[in-house]
Amino acid sequence: MSALPTFEDVQAAAARLAGQAHRTPVLRSGTADALGGGARFFFKCENFQRMGAFKFRGGYNALARFTPQQRQRGALAFSSGNHAQAVALAARLLGMPATILMPQDAPAAKLAATRGYGAEVITFDRFKEDREALARRLAEERGMTLVPPYDHADVIAGQGTAALELFQEVGELDHLFVCLGGGGLLGGCALAARAMSPRCKVYGVEPEAGNDGQRSFRSGELVHIEVPRTIADGAQTQHLGQLTFPLIRHNVDDIFTASDAQLVDAMRFYASRMKMLVEPTGCLSLAGALACGLDLQDARVGVLISGGNVDLARFAQLAGS
Ligand SMILES: *Cc1c(COP(=O)(O)O)cnc(C)c1O
């Protein structure tokens, strides 16, 4: 097993990302504060990041660390979501080839966006083919380097720069809520919190229908589940990783869940009150903060909004219902 990333790795990632990733804004909302029982919320808006989600941070950091030989052959990723676009964009910026494996029934807009960044997209039948085996075989045949979506030290360190920027901008916090899928974002952000705001409690929030992270965290055993049915498509992961699980066990205070109905409420809130589009998975952190039952009165609370990639028809269908 490779070594766990450290806060120094997050700082090194921040230096690599300077001038490449956007320094996303931190927004406030008096209405949100009231909804949170007198909390003082600080929203770190990665929905405004390049390609629309924090995943650009980890993807770029991982590719920037390739050796010259790895750069020549390029990066390979499998993803139907934001990681695909992150690796495609990072590869283009770093001048290397990228191949992305996507399910043939992925939304046309996502296939087009990934191709638009210049990546070669290879589709597969997700009901018939094992994508991990396929990805490994392709990587080997082509000499490309496989970049996993969360269980990779450089990816985790890159994701942690989102929280690093938040603490740099607003100082110490009492609580930090982070959207949780496979745990790359939460693991990296927890490293930043431990170093920059040691008393800050850090929480992951995952979909209620897929609470493998919560069960793993609380039991100490890595729990695997079936693909959960939830509108939070960026958090339909089946288990935490070999790196993210120990990182989260050591550095995170608890894991909460949010229902799809609570995600829709948060999505409507962001659109109507804060005038911004947040994808269902990006709503986990606020939904969790409002549903967790903690007393947040007068507390300084960070809410990491992870992404904003939801097509308008889907948004209208969810928010209008
Ligand atoms: C990938 C993703 C997540 C989950 O991130 P992990 O590092 O897998 O925990 C959350 N929100 C959005 C928008 C994502 O794309």
Side-chain angles (χ1 to χ4, degrees):
M1 190 181 87
S2 49
L4 296 181
T6 64
F7 179 59
E8 285 65 42
D9 296 320
V10 179
Q11 289 176 303
R16 276 180 214 110
L17 285 165
Q20 300 294 336
H22 294 319
R23 225 185 143 86
T24 53
V26 178
L27 301 184
R28 307 287 323 267
S29 160
T31 317
D33 290 355
L35 278 176
R40 286 185 284 157
F41 285 121
F42 297 86
F43 295 95
K44 175 67 171 168
C45 296
E46 287 294 299
N47 49 318
F48 296 132
Q49 186 51 264
R50 288 185 88 161
M51 54 65 52
F54 72 91
K55 287 228 172 52
F56 177 70
R57 297 175 181 271
Y60 187 91
N61 188 50
L63 268 59
R65 298 207 60 200
F66 278 16
T67 64
Q69 195 192 356
Q70 284 177 306
R71 279 190 192 224
Q72 205 184 351
R73 297 302 190 91
L76 185 136
F78 54 87
S79 164
S80 52
N82 291 327
H83 180 62
Q85 287 163 66
V87 169
L89 174 58
R92 195 188 71 191
L93 293 170
L94 290 162
M96 67 173 93
T99 299
I100 313 289
L101 268 171
M102 298 178 92
Q104 63 195 187
D105 58 344
K110 290 208 163 156
L111 292 168
T114 308
R115 289 196 177 103
Y117 288 126
E120 179 190 7
V121 173
I122 296 182
T123 57
F124 67 99
D125 181 346
R126 67 192 171 102
F127 298 103
K128 292 206 184 116
E129 293 166 280
D130 172 359
R131 67 176 190 172
E132 292 194 34
L134 195 61
R136 270 195 300 273
R137 202 187 70 221
L138 267 175
E140 198 161 320
E141 276 172 18
R142 300 177 169 208
M144 299 181 106
T145 303
L146 186 60
V147 183
Y150 57 87
D151 210 24
H152 186 291
D154 298 331
V155 171
I156 297 166
Q159 318 305 30
T161 62
L164 177 143
E165 287 178 9
L166 173 62
F167 291 115
Q168 278 177 342
E169 183 155 341
V170 307
E172 298 208 17
L173 294 170
D174 299 307
H175 305 273
L176 175 64
F177 290 87
V178 180
C179 309
L180 171 62
L185 181 63
L186 178 60
C189 288
L191 287 173
R194 286 294 154 260
M196 299 175 76
S197 183
R199 284 187 310 279
C200 180
K201 303 266 193 210
V202 180
Y203 313 106
V205 185
E206 66 185 344
E208 193 174 84
N211 70 336
D212 59 290
Q214 185 182 56
R215 286 161 57 198
S216 301
F217 180 82
R218 292 184 181 177
S219 71
E221 304 280 341
L222 187 57
V223 173
H224 289 242
I225 58 168
E226 294 292 305
V227 176
R229 284 180 165 276
T230 167
I231 59 170
D233 55 341
Q236 284 179 308
T237 40
Q238 293 174 263
H239 52 84
L240 300 177
Q242 297 298 321
L243 301 178
T244 58
F245 182 42
L247 266 183
I248 288 170
R249 281 279 282 177
H250 291 139
N251 299 303
V252 168
D253 293 280
D254 206 352
I255 294 179
F256 300 115
T257 62
S259 68
D260 281 2
Q262 288 164 336
L263 295 179
V264 168
D265 285 345
M267 201 163 71
R268 286 195 184 119
F269 172 82
Y270 282 133
S272 62
R273 306 310 295 241
M274 296 180 73
K275 320 302 170 197
M276 60 188 186
L277 200 55
V278 179
E279 65 183 275
T281 316
C283 293
L284 281 165
S285 46
L286 175 61
L290 296 179
C292 66
L294 296 174
D295 178 5
L296 300 178
Q297 187 169 14
D298 298 324
R300 291 167 54 82
V301 184
V303 173
L304 212 146
I305 300 174
S306 55
N309 290 330
V310 52
D311 70 63
L312 282 181
R314 175 89 175 128
F315 175 81
Q317 180 198 22
L318 290 169
S321 58

